[in-house]
Amino acid sequence: GQNIDQPTEMTATEGAIVQINCTYQTSGFNGLFWYQQHAGEAPTFLSYNVLDGLEEKGRFSSFLSRSKGYSYLLLKELQMKDSASYLCAVRDSNYQLIWGAGTKLIIKP
Amino acid sequence: TAGITQAPTSQILAAGRSMTLRCTQDMRHNAMYWYRQDLGLGLRLIHYSNTAGTTGKGEVPDGYSVSRANTDDFPLTLASAVPSQTSVYFCASSLTADNTGELFFGEGSRLTVL
């Protein structure tokens, strides 16, 4: 079967750095997405990785290792507004998106 | 720009009743999707449409139907609601049908079936 694993919840301090991990086992691989979802709102796109390595976009970076079936989302200089759920999704060989259950990130002052 | 609009925002429905969730996008995207989101589970695809006039079944299609008469609209119908269909429903769209681009989501429709 296909599976995406993420921690259910993480807590971090304002101004700090946090890394959210995602491991996957899917039928093929055609890219990995990270989305942010604030409580009661729609998911919004953060990043996309299809090749190994680090993609940096402002305070957010996303890393991919295809051989390990592993990605992480790195958030720097955390702000209170970063409190949200972070969803990892993998596009499989049929170009269907498989979604993780999401990681709820709690930021404390 | 409106993007994707869903209606209603929330609804309480008696079991056995029918309900249509509406979804309209103004981005001229070819592909549209309906997902449900339940606590502790990832987004699950109900139905999708790669282009106007075509639809396909996702991971959890039973009890739901869709139509895609034009590019902009993609309504989701529950013919006879059951309590297990209590969920938050998200409509989404993407420019291309092969998921090469990001998804744009509507604000969601919270449905409670009693």
Side-chain angles (χ1 to χ4, degrees):
Chain A
Q2 310 206 84
N3 194 51
I4 309 286
D5 286 318
Q6 307 178 233
T8 302
E9 187 175 297
M10 299 181 70
T11 302
T13 303
E14 189 178 16
I17 300 173
V18 69
Q19 177 175 311
I20 302 174
N21 296 327
C22 171
T23 59
Y24 61 89
Q25 301 90 36
T26 56
S27 303
F29 178 85
N30 281 297
L32 184 144
F33 295 82
W34 284 97
Y35 281 77
Q36 180 189 59
Q37 185 178 25
H38 285 101
E41 297 183 8
T44 55
F45 171 80
L46 284 178
S47 68
Y48 171 67
N49 294 70
V50 66
L51 299 176
D52 290 350
L54 189 68
E55 293 282 341
E56 296 185 83
K57 189 184 293 186
R59 293 189 299 115
F60 293 7
S61 303
S62 56
F63 172 82
L64 174 68
S65 170
R66 288 172 296 170
S67 63
K68 296 182 178 178
Y70 167 70
S71 172
Y72 67 72
L73 181 68
L74 191 70
L75 291 74
K76 303 176 183 176
E77 301 170 15
L78 287 170
Q79 302 175 9
M80 297 303 293
K81 67 179 182 179
D82 297 329
S83 292
S85 289
Y86 292 85
L87 314 181
C88 175
V90 173
R91 193 166 60 206
D92 68 12
S93 57
N94 294 319
Y95 284 87
Q96 295 302 311
L97 279 174
I98 312 300
W99 294 82
T103 298
K104 182 178 180 180
L105 178 63
I106 299 169
I107 309 298
K108 294 186 175 180
Chain B
T1 302
I4 296 186
T5 303
Q6 289 185 234
T9 303
S10 66
Q11 182 75 43
I12 298 174
L13 188 66
R17 300 296 296 268
S18 66
M19 175 76 195
T20 295
L21 303 180
R22 300 183 297 278
C23 176
T24 300
Q25 55 108 353
D26 63 1
M27 297 176 285
R28 307 303 293 173
H29 283 176
N30 288 312
M32 296 187 75
Y33 314 85
W34 274 106
Y35 286 94
R36 59 177 292 173
Q37 187 174 42
D38 302 289
L39 194 63
L41 299 177
L43 288 163
R44 292 184 291 169
L45 183 64
I46 304 170
H47 285 285
Y48 65 92
S49 170
N50 288 337
T51 188
T54 68
T55 63
K57 294 182 179 180
E59 179 185 357
V60 288
D62 294 344
Y64 306 95
S65 63
V66 292
S67 62
R68 186 89 184 275
N70 56 61
T71 297
D72 298 344
D73 300 302
F74 191 44
L76 177 74
T77 298
L78 290 69
S80 179
V82 295
S84 62
Q85 291 178 310
T86 294
S87 187
V88 180
Y89 292 85
F90 285 101
C91 181
S93 71
S94 62
L95 181 61
T96 57
D98 61 358
N99 275 325
T100 56
E102 65 182 274
L103 293 183
F104 293 83
F105 287 85
E107 291 300 312
S109 296
R110 181 176 295 276
L111 180 65
T112 303
V113 182
L114 301 176

